[in-house]
């Protein structure tokens, strides 16, 4: 062993957790997760309390050891994994890489109609926070056809693309969906690509004919529903004010019975009126949904259905309870369809670290009924977020400007945040509605996101230690 | 690895970065900046700071700012500590971005 023990080291940016009696480390810049033995943990503790230490100092502090060979081995491991860093190296030397100039399109979201037969109080298409006041429109066939060609032409090397039908209520334009699916299947086959379809619906217009079509063409379905009748009907109502539950319940039962070719998920919007996460979850899983996901409503400041601080804390507590149940199920080898958690676990498993919160403007674009391209489905018909048309293609100048401004490196508030590579400042649309600035980090959720990420890491470690094979199954679910 | 165990995939890649020496890319990823001189005495390229070889074979571009980082000494390079704290700002990874290290005119 050479004598270079005056070299000083500091702890790289990391978070340490104690999970099931074990020390676990989440390395922030790389999203690696490590389990530490006692000795390694002791070294990490030492450095947590100090700016930096030389190797000889570290060895001196660990004087319970007979020789320096063991501690030296542990130090070497910590250094080579990047957990300890030479003190002379600048902190955070490496910003996230800039986006590539061009990238293949992966998903196109077609707004096949901007009208809806419900008028849910919180809807960003119709409610108080809508981005535009366009006249009612259904997408004509020429636009849909052009959009399919556009998707295939811009999908580059990738052999899989997906097309999502969105609205408004997309089933109001079922005729177009049918025609588009058969055209897209044919064009994709000609190009040797696989195309996946999905649809988000309020379920009011599901008939047997529609359901059989969805099943036959393997169209993934997500149903927007807020739980049992009295919860669902608080905000999910027809224009007359009548609740939608009684109309959708039998249709959903039919859908779950007949459509078996793809998993069917439920999406719940959490508001001040609807926040009983666990109860809603159990209800929807009992109905037969494979996956249930929750999203807090997007609002400007001051809407009365917005979630208050206490409500958010309550949601977090219930997420934690569901997480506990998820972990127990996973250790037994079964899957609980809590998709907020399964998505997080999947990201943690891979150690993905992102400079953008989502694919908006990258591999994902929205298409308006008239064929305008938007950052994503939520920005459709917002003139400010237009990125070209399916006819003329992507306006690369505008896209580049967006990607530059939306990059995590621009969000200075996030630079010292340990979950920045997972959150990346959060949804652009949420930011726009909340702060009037697409590029503003969603600072009203930070504490929540950090607490939730910690819950996720703890769950990840327990499952990984108890039943690592679970993640092979999860992999299958996330990329069917 | 005896003391640290990789749990997720990213961690396993980091582990491979040192265990199999073929994975030069992963190694460069881990150590994107050079170690510095004067205050810590760079041990040279025969042996690393820990007396091993795991941290050797760094790309030569790393030397470009060896006399810059946390250094005040007026050398042939701008110094970071007193006069040019931002000199390497545009240079996140020496290997890729060394062209951004520009001339300075004192
Ligand atoms: S939690 Fe907050 S500070 Fe952290 S990345 Fe997200 S928005 Fe930024
Ligand atoms: S901007 Fe928001 S709504 Fe749009 S794709 Fe991203 S996360 Fe989703």
């Amino acid at each position: 062993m050479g004598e270079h023990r005056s070299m000083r080291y500091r702890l790289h940016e990391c978070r340490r957790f104690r999970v099931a009696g074990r020390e676990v480390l989440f390395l922030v810049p790389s999203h690696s997760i490590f389990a530490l033995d006692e000795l390694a943990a002791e070294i990490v503790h030492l450095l947590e309390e100090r700016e930096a230490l030389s190797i000889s100092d570290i060895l001196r502090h660990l004087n319970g050891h007979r020789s320096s060979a063991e501690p030296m081995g542990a130090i070497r491991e910590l250094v080579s994994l990047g957990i300890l860093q030479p003190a002379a190296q600048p902190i955070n030397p490496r910003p996230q890489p800039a986006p590539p100039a061009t990238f293949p399109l992966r998903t196109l979201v077609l707004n096949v109609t901007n009208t809806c037969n419900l008028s849910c109080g919180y809807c960003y298409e119709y409610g108080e926070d809508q981005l535009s006041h366009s006249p009612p429109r259904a997408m004509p066939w020429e636009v849909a056809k052009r959009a399919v060609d556009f998707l295939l032409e811009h999908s580059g090397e990738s052999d899989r693309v997906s097309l999502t039908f969105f609205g408004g209520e997309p089933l109001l334009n079922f005729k177009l969906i049918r025609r588009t699916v058969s055209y897209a299947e044919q064009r994709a086959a000609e190009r040797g690509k696989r195309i996946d379809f999905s649809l988000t619906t309020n379920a009011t217009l599901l008939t047997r004919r529609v359901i059989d079509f969805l099943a036959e063409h393997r169209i993934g379905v997500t149903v927007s529903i807020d739980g049992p009748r009295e919860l669902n009907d608080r905000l999910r109502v027809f224009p007359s004010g009548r609740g939608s539950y009684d109309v959708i319940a039998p249709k959903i039962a039919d859908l779950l019975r007949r459509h078996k070719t793809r998993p069917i998920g439920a999406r719940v919007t959490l508001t001040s009126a609807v926040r009983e996460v666990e109860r809603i979850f159990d209800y929807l899983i009992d109905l037969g949904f494979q996956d249930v996901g929750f999203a807090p409503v997007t609002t400007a400041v001051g809407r009365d259905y917005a979630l208050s601080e206490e409500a958010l804390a309550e949601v977090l507590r219930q997420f934690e309870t569901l997480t506990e149940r998820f972990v127990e199920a996973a250790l037994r080898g079964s899957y609980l369809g809590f998709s907020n958690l399964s998505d997080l676990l999947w990201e943690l498993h891979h150690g993905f670290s992102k400079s953008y919160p989502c694919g908006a403007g990258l591999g994902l674009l929205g298409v308006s009924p008239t064929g305008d391209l938007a950052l994503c489905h939520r920005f459709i018909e917002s003139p400010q977020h237009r990125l070209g048309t399916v006819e003329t293609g992507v306006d690369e100048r505008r896209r580049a400007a967006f990607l530059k401004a939306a990059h995590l490196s621009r969000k200075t508030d996030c630079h010292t945040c340990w979950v920045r590579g997972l959150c990346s400042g959060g949804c652009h649309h949420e930011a726009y509605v909340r702060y009037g600035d697409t590029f503003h980090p969603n600072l009203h959720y930070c504490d929540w996101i950090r607490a939730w990420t910690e819950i996720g890491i703890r769950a990840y470690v327990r499952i990984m230690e108890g039943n690592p094979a679970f993640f092979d199954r999860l992999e299958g679910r996330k990329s069917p | 690895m005896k003391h640290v165990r990789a749990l997720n995939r990213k961690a396993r890649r980091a582990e491979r970065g040192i265990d199999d020496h073929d994975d030069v890319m992963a190694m460069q990823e881990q150590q994107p900046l050079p170690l510095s001189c004067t205050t810590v005495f760079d041990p040279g390229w025969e042996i690393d700071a820990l007396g091993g070889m795991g941290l050797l074979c760094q790309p030569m571009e790393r030397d470009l700012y060896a006399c810059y980082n946390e250094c005040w000494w007026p050398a042939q390079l701008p110094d970071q500590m007193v006069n040019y704290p931002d000199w390497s700002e545009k240079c996140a990874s020496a290997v890729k971005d060394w062209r951004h290290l520009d001339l300075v005119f004192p």
Side-chain angles (χ1 to χ4, degrees), chain B residues 14 54 99 105:
Chain B
R99 286 182 188 80
F105 299 96

Side-chain angles (χ1 to χ4, degrees), chain A residues 31 33 35 37 70 77 80, chain B residues 2-3 5 7-8 30:
Chain A
H31 287 199
I33 304 176
D37 77 350
E70 277 283 296
E77 284 179 27
S80 38
Chain B
K2 246 182 89 192
H3 304 277
R5 195 157 43 87
L7 287 176
N8 68 352
Q30 268 181 52

Side-chain angles (χ1 to χ4, degrees), chain A residues 1-2 4 7 9-10 22 30-37 39-40 55 70 72-82 86-90 93-95 348-351 460-461 464-465 475, chain B residues 1-12 14-15 18 29-36 39-43 47-55 62 69-70 80 88-89 91-93 96:
Chain A
M1 174 96 39
H4 302 286
M7 177 102 173
Y9 284 90
R10 81 157 84 82
R22 204 175 259 114
S30 68
H31 287 199
S32 325
I33 304 176
F34 299 102
L36 308 177
D37 77 350
L39 182 54
I55 292 172
E70 277 283 296
M72 219 37 216
I75 295 174
R76 186 172 293 126
E77 284 179 27
L78 290 167
V79 170
S80 38
L81 293 169
Q89 195 166 307
R94 197 165 45 133
L348 289 171
H349 181 53
H350 285 268
Y460 178 75
V461 173
M464 199 61 193
E465 296 288 47
E475 188 78 40
Chain B
M1 293 265 154
K2 246 182 89 192
H3 304 277
V4 184
R5 195 157 43 87
L7 287 176
N8 68 352
R9 293 198 180 179
K10 221 23 176 315
R12 260 175 275 157
E15 226 177 36
I18 53 130
E29 285 250 298
Q30 268 181 52
Q31 299 282 333
L33 280 175
L35 312 179
S36 179
T39 49
V40 291
F41 289 106
D42 264 3
I47 199 162
D48 71 18
L50 294 172
M53 308 220 288
L55 303 177
R62 288 164 54 97
N69 272 328
E70 293 191 6
Q80 180 178 38
S88 72
E89 214 181 17
C91 181
S93 149
K96 286 203 300 274

Side-chain angles (χ1 to χ4, degrees), chain A residues 358 360 364 376-379 427-429:
Chain A
C358 60
L364 178 147
C376 80
H377 50 292
R378 286 201 178 192
F379 285 112
C427 168
H428 309 304
H429 174 262

Side-chain angles (χ1 to χ4, degrees), chain A residues 408 411-427 435 440-450 453:
Chain A
L408 181 59
K411 300 183 177 169
T412 36
D413 290 299
C414 305
H415 286 182
T416 52
C417 173
W418 71 272
V419 303
R420 62 183 179 273
L422 286 156
C423 166
S424 308
C427 168
Y435 302 98
H440 199 293
N442 285 288
L443 300 177
H444 52 296
Y445 282 142
C446 299
D447 291 342
W448 200 95
I449 304 263
R450 289 192 276 254
T453 308

Side-chain angles (χ1 to χ4, degrees), chain A residues 262-281:
Chain A
R262 287 282 290 278
I264 313 280
R267 283 296 166 278
V268 179
T269 304
L270 298 173
T271 53
S272 55
V274 177
R275 54 204 238 196
E276 290 147 80
V277 173
E278 201 183 358
R279 174 166 159 230
I280 298 169
F281 179 84

